[in-house]
Amino acid sequence: MVFGVWLKADGLETPDGAECYKAVSEGPRLHRSGDSLCVGVTPGLLPAPATKGQWPHRLAGGGALQAGRRPPAPVLAEEMEPRGWLPLLLRLGLICLLGAPSEPRLRVFVVPHSHMDVGWLHTVQESMQAYVTNVYNTVVEELTLEKKRRFIAVEQEYFRLWWDGVASDKQKGQVRQLVSEGRLEFVLGGQVMHDEAVTHFDDQILQLTEGHGFLYETFGIRPQFSWQVDPFGASATTPTLFALAGFNAHVISRINYNLKEAMQDNQQLQFVWRGSRSLSAQQEIFTHVLDKFGYCSEGFYWDGEPIFPHPPENGWYPSMQFPVTWERLQSFVEAVLYNVWVRAAWFQTPHVLWPWGCDRQFFNASLQFANMDRVLEQVNKFAYQHGVSMEYATLGGYFRAVHAHQLSWPVRDQRDFLPYSSDMHHAWTGFYASRSGLKALARRASALLYAGESMFTRHVLLAPHPHLDPAWGLQQLQQLRWAVSEVQHHDAITGTHALEVGDMFVEHLSSGMQGVHTLMASIIQDRSPAQSGPEPGGRFAVVYNPLAWTVTTIITLTVDFPNVSITDESGRPVPAQVQRSKEVPSAYDLHVLTTIPGLSYRHYSIHPSRRPQEDTLEPVTSLASSRQFGHRPRRRGGPVGGSLVPVENDCYTVFLDKDTNLMHSIWERWSNQTVQVTQSFMEYHAKSDFDQGPISDNYVFRPSGRAKPAWEAVRMEIVAGPLVTEIRQEFYREVDDREPTFAIYSRLAHRPQSSDGELLCHRIEQEYRVGPLELNREAILRTSTDLNTGRVLYSDNNGYQMQRRPYRNYTNNIIAQNYYPMVQSAFIQDRRSRLVLLSEQAHGVSSQGNGQVEVMLHRRLWNNDKWAVENDLTLNDSSVVHPVLWLLLGPWTLTSGLRQRSGLALQHRPVVMLREMNETARRGSGFKLQEAVTLPSSIHLQILSIPGWKYSSNHTEHLQTLQKDRNRAAKADVRRVLLRLQHLYEVEQDPVLSQPVTVNLQSVLQGLGSVVSVEERSLTGTWDVRKMHRWTWSTRDPPRHRGKSSSPSPPLGGPNITIYPKEIRTFFIHFQEW
């Protein structure tokens, strides 16, 4: 069947379509009659209009089709309205009427790629077997056969597995040749395509560093373009990090549906993004938002769908597209031209980025390229007639063409693209809290790795240690680096994966953590105090502070006995408190007050003790007292606050209402202000019937109404001692339940006057117990205050910077669309006070009412969507989770200075390692005093690590080594240390802490050894910053030069460096041999 449409030179459709249909069905495709043109289009491969299914999960390519549910075969022309083709028909008609252009008006860059999720519906190993191996095998073969072909590779975890475990020497040689010729291009270059909503920027940098280090060591290349096309929303932290890594352009896709539509209509899909308000224009980056078609190209998949767990023996795959035969060729050409002209109208330059590929594509690259070769050849054959030329390209090829066009681009400020909604009914805000347990494990693993890196670095640099092989130590760290990098994938830490895949992530993290624990145990063997003989029941505790500041805090150990004696490495008694464990009635919690310098250890001896007689000097810890308040039913109204119980330390007094067993208010000493504060567990009831419309699932939050109280009774206990007072509130779903479903354990520390405990005093530490939940419930902790906030919330981007989140009155799905990610902190405020929440892991956060802030802590969902059930992509999470929040209260002048350092104190708490006293210490072991590493209070030691890379820091030398294939025999350089420093504060955030800081690296690091040289590097370490020249993009707004100038840093003439607000500076520090 052929549709016919008459067009006049003025672009207006003429009425006699039947006559046109007869003309083109019996004769040529273009039929002229006077000043009119009859255009005929054959059915077949026109891409379907973007359809928004009821279930939008993993919409293919960031567009509207459902990835995972394979994009459907192209819609036959007779199923489409002819008017949908008018943009193409008008252009083709006018070309013929007015004459062909002297050269093609549009240059189309066809970028072949395969989107390979590092764990989604299948494990990494399953994916390697089913399709990933064949992607690289066949792509390398096809690119080698034909020089015009191109391909971009993204996720390094898969490529490294193929390179190390599959690729032959011949294939490796071919890859090196393709890379050197620019025909195989690595974009993004991280281990994974990381999520941008619920990942911490430390971990984003880690996974980029892992991938970039491999690529540079193996090929001598540095990725220069990003490809963040599938994460569910875009963070403003990302452009800053990518600029610091040396990228020239940034690609994103999934942004709010209505915003993307508006940006398309106004040709605003390309802009220069200045992601930080404090940094100079040097950290801006040109950003390209993929249009509504996303990263997929429906109708041009000839290899079909992969089959799990193994490829079929007969080579036949489901959903294989009809091949491009001579009879079908014109239909494919018409389809691609239609798509190109539609896209071209949304951009300012005559260059069209046409991503060719989708999820799990190119496992038969021969079939793909053989068919697309014919299409491109036919298009280019008549390029001057229809004004379009097409070519295979890498991402770099496209951006070089756009950059050469020399337009002046609009500037976007530090606003992000969160949350993400695929349509008015589907807000992708549920994944902020999905798989809460995995989110917690991922952050604990990251914190353990952070501590292990600096502990190992100190140990290796100071002196040779015969008991620890540095190569073995690096292997333990490398295993955890890989696992932490892997879980940053946008279907991993998000909780949007199948159950089996989640088990894989947990296994990899747990195994990596075990290895680092073993490494730490080996290190402290050399540091444990010597002992004269076994003492059954006693323990040594070694406590390590991984931060580069002196930290005063309380560590908690579990012991089996109530009478405890604890002494430090000098034999002096240590302030401590013992109380019955809140979780295990037969055990006891031992709280120990400790002050530890930066990157240093404290050693404690703990042993059971009899109660001393009056004439005995043996130190014994204090036993806390307990006060019970029984059950109180939930009140439906009436007066409150008639009978209050105070719990206080030197900074706060928390008032508890004895009539309700709930928090009533908090008095803050510094400002002498009292703020009404109450907390309650509530639940949203999730929509779950797929047949009745949008539902809540791993991705989407779709409540049936407002949150409801999730408990009927609460019991309270106050446990008080000289170091800590703990408030235990347990919430029961029903009055007669024997076990609580929810609990809040709040802790106020009492600061000894002789200690530096400002951060310890100015926080209320809270740990929660949540679960198991009932089915289709989404549990929140709602904190209500009398602050006049106007429902304005502030939440962080990846722990790096804050975003203002005003409440928006959407017409649909208003609750879910006002949820935001909280990776590390959030706050609400009015003119008199600010309430800050600091989090140990990622959660969803919202302000649904004036003076309120609510945190989504846990989700348990089940629905009847057949596709989700068949793929085990459900969220029937019956676990009990134990999230942690710290609360800070006070005027902004106080809390703005405390928030960042307190957040790091929570993220990187001291590591406690225990050893039984009856274990035999190594010969010659004993306590060794080490010099502390101390930075100014506004500077954070973001990483101190021995990466173990083998490449030379000199780029020319490294390339020469690669050419001679000497790198295989090179050994890891353990005297080269990766150091990264971060200024914690924004410009003008604090009158003192926001000032630039000058640091003498030689002086700061003298406790680690003698510094030989310092090199400043790019964020991931692969560039010498003096030789990293990023592209400059002309902008319509003048660049702002806050902080450091926009020119590259001058060569380091000495160890002094100046760090400006929000800067992240990376260095190689070379230490002298022993």
Side-chain angles (χ1 to χ4, degrees), residues 255-273:
I255 65 173
N256 232 40
Y257 72 100
N258 51 3
L259 178 59
K260 178 175 281 195
E261 290 173 0
M263 293 173 75
Q264 287 178 168
D265 292 343
N266 295 291
Q267 293 189 327
Q268 294 176 342
L269 291 172
Q270 293 173 318
F271 51 87
V272 171
W273 197 353

Side-chain angles (χ1 to χ4, degrees), residues 203 442-452 520 546 907-909 911:
D203 301 322
R443 289 287 287 278
R444 288 198 301 271
S446 174
L448 179 68
L449 177 62
Y450 175 82
M520 289 178 163
Q907 182 181 356
H908 297 300
R909 286 176 282 187
V911 178

